[in-house]
Amino acid sequence: MEEESGSSQGPVACGSWIRRPEKVNLAVLARSRKKRGDSSSDSSSSPSVLQIFSFDPKTASLSSSPLTTYVLEEVDGDPVSITVHPSGDEIVCSTTKGGCKLFELVSHDSQTRLLAKELPPLQGVGPLKCIAFSVDGSRFATGGEDGRLRILGWPSLRIILDEPKAHKSVRDMDFSLDSEFLASTSTDGAARIWKTEDGAPLTTLTRNSDEKIELCRFSKDGTKPFLFCTVQKGNKAVTGVWDISTWNKIGYKRLLRKPASIMSISLDGKYLALGSKDGDICVVDVKKMEISHTSKRLHLGAGIETLEFCPSERVVLTTTTEWGAVVTKLNVPADWKEWQIYMLLLGMFLASAVVFYIFFENSDSFWKFPNQAAKPKIGTILGDPQSSDDPNVWGPLDM
């Protein structure tokens, strides 16, 4: 689905996937308030809204009309960023005036609704560029344009960290797979690592004087303890890799070959995606660190603001204020389906049975038993007294 910003609704500010039970996926899009004087034929102002759309995996598209729409109050301003709890039941949206707002996703009798709930510690805190839940859903972090970094327990909302001067201005952040660490980057090129248990600063990533660390994502496959960061080295844009056991940089590679505006990693950790400031995306096979998919001019001339992998399909959601939301099916090798795995196991079992049968039928020639003792008759197995004393039945083997 592609939503044009010139429609009767406001432009898409951000979006995210919502993981539901049994591999059902929804998407939430946050639309900004359209100001009077826009190029649209409708000169009146439309409100800021959150909209939930269903996703069809067969067509790799979102529904043409939303399942539900929630209208934000004018005092909240426009949406800035959005994130969804791993359970898929709660959505947090930061706004230009109201801080963070919490919504509960309720589905009953094929009806979907968004219920607003209070989020006291984060009300009226100003624009938050970055908000994120930890992988296990036990932590929630926010990064402000003023450089303030917060980590809260979820759902207790216990404040674990509230550092007003964590950065000059928070640019990006991400939780590690085990939810033990939080990485954050700054607009001045610095990157810091925090322990989420107590909010203690752990280390600052080393960089050369000509390097600016911009975006960050932890590996998510459970086998490679890495932190991926986009780095601007002079005029070159590269992707660096840090070993999180030592926090030392182990190398870098040119992938997107242009400055990136956003970075994302799939839930299974197999693919890393980069979105450029002029509308391109590339998807990288993490195991090989090679590009597997490229979409040129997906959002022509616009910096991609949302780039997120679908939880259960090789599909990404991207948004820009100029071109709206776009769902793109990735040209990558298909994953094994559950029934295919069962068929493979069944095939292996049947093949093993055939090999065993052939081995059994040819066991005499294989072990080179004397021909007269090739196979004992049924009577022998049952204890035939005439054959029980035959010395040739279990004679010496000719190996």
Side-chain angles (χ1 to χ4, degrees):
M1 183 195 78
E2 183 172 340
E3 294 287 342
E4 299 294 342
S5 62
S7 66
S8 59
Q9 297 172 316
V12 176
C14 50
S16 180
W17 291 105
I18 304 174
R19 184 173 16 170
R20 304 304 293 161
E22 299 181 358
K23 296 184 179 181
V24 173
N25 299 295
L26 306 176
V28 55
L29 300 181
R31 296 181 180 276
S32 299
R33 194 177 312 276
K34 189 192 302 182
K35 308 300 181 183
R36 290 182 174 83
D38 280 354
S39 58
S40 169
S41 58
D42 183 5
S43 61
S44 62
S45 176
S46 61
S48 296
V49 297
L50 298 186
Q51 295 179 316
I52 306 295
F53 294 86
S54 62
F55 171 72
D56 184 353
K58 294 182 179 179
T59 61
S61 62
L62 301 182
S63 56
S64 57
S65 59
L67 299 176
T68 187
T69 297
Y70 184 94
V71 179
L72 295 172
E73 297 180 8
E74 189 171 354
V75 294
D76 294 325
D78 293 326
V80 176
S81 56
I82 198 166
T83 187
V84 179
H85 191 272
S87 67
D89 296 328
E90 295 172 306
I91 301 170
V92 178
C93 178
S94 70
T95 64
T96 54
K97 297 179 181 178
C100 279
K101 299 187 70 67
L102 173 63
F103 300 91
E104 181 181 359
L105 181 65
V106 179
S107 298
H108 182 68
D109 294 337
S110 300
Q111 298 293 321
T112 301
R113 291 186 301 158
L114 284 173
L115 301 179
K117 303 180 73 174
E118 295 295 324
L119 199 58
L122 298 174
Q123 288 181 340
V125 295
L128 298 173
K129 181 176 176 57
C130 305
I131 56 175
F133 282 103
S134 61
V135 177
D136 64 4
S138 66
R139 302 283 188 269
F140 179 71
T142 69
E145 294 180 357
D146 58 357
R148 190 167 194 161
L149 185 70
R150 296 177 178 87
I151 302 177
L152 291 81
W154 195 271
S156 67
L157 300 180
R158 177 179 65 90
I159 297 177
I160 300 173
L161 171 69
D162 187 354
E163 176 53 63
K165 298 181 180 180
H167 292 291
K168 179 180 179 180
S169 180
V170 179
R171 174 159 189 175
D172 195 21
M173 63 185 186
D174 190 44
F175 282 97
S176 61
L177 178 62
D178 58 8
S179 303
E180 183 178 355
F181 305 114
L182 175 73
S184 60
T185 65
S186 173
T187 54
D188 62 7
R192 302 182 70 180
I193 309 298
W194 312 80
K195 295 182 66 176
T196 63
E197 182 179 2
D198 54 11
L202 183 62
T203 188
T204 299
L205 298 185
T206 57
R207 58 191 174 103
N208 297 330
S209 58
D210 65 336
E211 294 179 337
K212 292 183 65 177
I213 301 174
E214 298 184 331
L215 307 170
C216 60
R217 287 295 179 272
F218 280 98
S219 58
K220 296 293 193 297
D221 63 0
T223 61
K224 305 176 185 65
F226 298 148
L227 174 65
F228 302 100
C229 296
T230 61
V231 182
Q232 196 68 29
K233 292 171 62 71
N235 295 325
K236 293 183 179 180
V238 301
T239 301
V241 183
W242 277 258
D243 184 341
I244 70 173
S245 61
T246 62
W247 302 110
N248 292 327
K249 185 167 64 174
I250 59 178
Y252 62 87
K253 192 169 185 178
R254 295 193 70 184
L255 296 170
L256 189 59
R257 294 184 175 272
K258 59 177 66 176
S261 60
I262 195 166
M263 192 181 198
S264 180
I265 196 163
S266 61
L267 289 181
D268 59 9
K270 292 183 179 180
Y271 294 98
L272 183 74
L274 297 167
S276 74
K277 296 179 180 179
D278 59 1
D280 296 349
I281 68 167
C282 75
V283 178
V284 179
D285 185 325
V286 170
K287 186 176 181 180
K288 301 176 182 178
M289 285 304 287
E290 296 178 353
I291 294 177
S292 297
H293 173 96
T294 300
S295 291
K296 296 287 188 181
R297 298 180 293 278
L298 187 63
H299 295 263
L300 182 60
I304 295 178
E305 296 161 3
T306 295
L307 172 59
E308 190 172 316
F309 286 89
C310 180
S312 61
E313 304 288 336
R314 295 306 182 195
V315 170
V316 294
L317 171 69
T318 54
T319 71
T320 58
T321 54
E322 290 85 352
W323 299 103
V326 177
V327 172
T328 303
K329 186 174 183 178
L330 302 179
N331 183 25
V332 298
D335 294 322
W336 284 81
K337 303 295 184 182
E338 187 173 336
W339 67 269
Q340 292 175 315
I341 296 176
Y342 285 133
M343 289 298 294
L344 176 62
L345 293 176
L346 178 61
M348 293 174 64
F349 173 77
L350 294 176
S352 299
V354 171
V355 171
F356 176 79
Y357 176 77
I358 295 174
F359 171 78
F360 178 77
E361 286 295 317
N362 296 276
S363 60
D364 295 335
S365 60
F366 181 84
W367 291 106
K368 298 184 180 179
F369 279 108
N371 291 333
Q372 61 268 32
K375 285 187 176 62
K377 297 181 179 180
I378 296 298
T380 303
I381 298 174
L382 297 176
D384 186 352
Q386 294 182 355
S387 60
S388 59
D389 295 332
D390 187 349
N392 293 324
V393 173
W394 295 105
L397 300 180
D398 182 9
M399 298 299 289

